[in-house]
Amino acid sequence: MGNTETELAPGAHVAVLRKARGWSQAKLARRAAVSVSLLSKIEIGDRALTPAVAAAVGQALGVSMDQVLGRAPITPTDEQHLEALRAAMRDYDLPDRQAVQEDLLSAALGQAHELRNRVDVTRLLAVLPPLLRDATTHAYRANTPAAWMIVAEAYSIAYWLAARHRWMDMAELAVTRQRWAVEQQPNPLGAAVACRDRAGTYLNFGDVERGLTLVDRAIADAQHTLDSTDRDLAVCLLNLRGMTLAGRLRDNREAVREAERHMQSAMATSQGMNRPLDVHGLTVGPQNVLAHRLATYVDLGKPHDALGLSDDLDQALTGMPATRVAPTHINAARAHLDLGNRNDALTHLTTAWTVAPQMARIHPMSRELFRVLSSLNQRSNAQLLTLSKLSGIPL
């Protein structure tokens, strides 16, 4: 069963995978340890496919999470840029002969970070291949921690792009290259960032237990090797990943305990940060902690706690990049839907599409929520029609 691109929302894709196996709903439900009723509602669009159920379905079918969710389709032009990116990643230790101007390289890296923050994935895919090649060439010539960190940051961006599209083979390769780059010269903070991304691949594959092991080990390393602000930044960043992983543990009691542990640590280390801080292209601070807590509470099945974190989500996220704002509104939409607040769910989902349309288009939960809201709103709904036009997804 291959990694196929699909325009289907994840819940509808589960039905396709199940029928391709010739399995009944009862057989898949039994093997995934979910109820037949829940599986049926997910397939017809009356309930959203959650990450935890998606992981369980994947394990039952013997496929990875990206196969359950379906890879995001791309255009032929983007396919050419993707092949160029794969080639640049293959040539990770083959620098070009021509020297690279450091100021031009810094500008190119800054552009890539800006494109990621704006979630302009089409342009980002085009600029990444030359950035990787130039960064590699410069690092081999300069051979300094700063030069190798530019390479690592470029691979971190490549990981983000691959994970968003569910190109999991590329995501795994990117974090391997990222770790290789930070190991060329001592760089404890860079190592923490690399581990955060590596743990993300375990999250993407639904292997949350091993991801948590990586995070806890990296936190211990950061506390031992870093001091002051760098230590707090690394520990906070790693705990953000830890709470997301913990929220998806199958055992709910353990999930709550582990998630709260990482939440408390993240909040403690972010208390002295009066504004979002940049850590090699990643945002760290109280606002990002709130966004991750909201997402984790939704995963834990605590929508009231999630929505109770802020009375004004737009105000709470002021100054945050679209990469964080859009997913937070998607999670808020999911929380409202869990509580039966369809109109509020539509409002937050529309905000996500407005803030970052390219991300919303490829985000599996965004498409899943649209499908469920379309199914539940049997009569014409003006807000849903507006979202349909905005997203380009027919009702």
Side-chain angles (χ1 to χ4, degrees), residues 294 298 307 313 327-337 344-345 348:
L294 190 151
V298 176
L307 297 174
L313 198 55
T328 303
H329 277 284
I330 291 171
N331 284 313
R334 184 177 154 203
H336 277 294
L337 186 59
D344 289 332
H348 282 284

Side-chain angles (χ1 to χ4, degrees), residues 340-358:
N341 305 327
R342 299 178 192 175
N343 289 336
D344 289 332
L346 266 172
T347 297
H348 282 284
L349 191 57
T350 300
T351 299
W353 274 94
T354 303
V355 169
Q358 290 191 49

Side-chain angles (χ1 to χ4, degrees), residues 168-185:
M168 296 318 300
D169 56 337
M170 176 177 282
E172 285 197 291
L173 182 59
V175 297
T176 300
R177 298 286 192 257
Q178 180 185 3
R179 180 72 187 190
W180 166 82
V182 298
E183 287 177 344
Q184 299 307 303
Q185 290 286 345

